[in-house]
Amino acid sequence: MMDAARARKLADRIQQIVAEMLERRIKDPRLGFVTITDSRVTNDLSEATVFYTVFGSEAERKDTAAALESAKGIIRSEVGRQTGLRHTPTLVFTHDPLPDSARHLDELLAEAKARDEEIAKRAEGAEYAGDADPYKRDEEEDEDVPGHVGRAAT
């Protein structure tokens, strides 16, 4: 058994190793524009889940999943070599849907901003239905208000 802090440290190291492997050593043409977003290791160190995102279409995501699956052995060997663990954890690659949700929210926010700008453009040449300033600002009336400190009478 291992404490959670050491497991977290190992997970961070695995994330780093996997990212470097994908960037430098894995030359699979199916591998898309992939980003390793997180990594988690079970407390007994038997399994490491590596989370990733793929920029692109559903087909590119499927191709990348297949490429990761076929490179799993090479990546696991490298993880074992670099971490020096007696038993290298089994690697499980999992698509991380969170950044996709974030991207969807960004798209919605951009759409809302575009609509706001469109409304602002339409409002530029518009005029008020009534008076531009419906509040009375009669200067002379102010002088009749008790306690009002206004202009001195000349």
Side-chain angles (χ1 to χ4, degrees):
M1 217 44 174
M2 181 180 253
D3 66 288
R6 262 186 80 197
R8 181 70 246 162
K9 205 170 179 180
L10 178 63
D12 290 345
R13 183 69 188 118
I14 289 172
Q15 180 177 346
Q16 189 182 1
I17 294 166
V18 172
E20 285 171 8
M21 289 281 295
L22 294 178
E23 195 178 307
R24 300 196 180 101
R25 298 229 342 243
I26 309 298
K27 301 296 180 208
D28 192 318
R30 297 172 297 173
L31 199 61
F33 188 73
V34 64
T35 303
I36 303 301
T37 56
D38 196 11
S39 177
R40 299 200 184 122
V41 178
T42 55
N43 282 341
D44 65 358
L45 305 186
S46 64
E47 186 175 280
T49 304
V50 179
F51 295 90
Y52 68 93
T53 59
V54 181
F55 185 76
S57 67
E58 186 63 29
E60 287 168 301
R61 193 166 79 73
K62 284 182 177 152
D63 285 351
T64 296
L68 289 171
E69 204 53 42
S70 68
K72 196 184 272 189
I74 299 166
I75 295 170
R76 185 171 181 236
S77 304
E78 188 62 20
V79 166
R81 194 182 70 72
Q82 288 195 36
T83 58
L85 293 170
R86 194 173 339 168
H87 300 290
T88 305
T90 304
L91 298 181
V92 177
F93 288 100
T94 303
H95 181 257
D96 185 353
L98 276 178
D100 293 341
S101 302
R103 184 168 38 253
H104 180 64
L105 282 175
D106 285 344
E107 287 166 5
L108 290 175
L109 289 171
E111 192 178 309
K113 185 176 183 237
R115 284 187 189 154
D116 287 351
E117 286 168 359
E118 179 60 34
I119 290 168
K121 268 188 200 146
R122 281 194 218 151
E124 271 175 20
E127 292 186 20
Y128 292 98
D131 293 331
D133 186 358
Y135 301 101
K136 288 188 176 186
R137 298 242 192 274
D138 195 304
E139 300 285 321
E140 289 78 48
E141 226 178 80
D142 288 345
E143 292 172 11
D144 298 338
V145 178
H148 173 76
V149 179
R151 293 180 307 218
T154 39

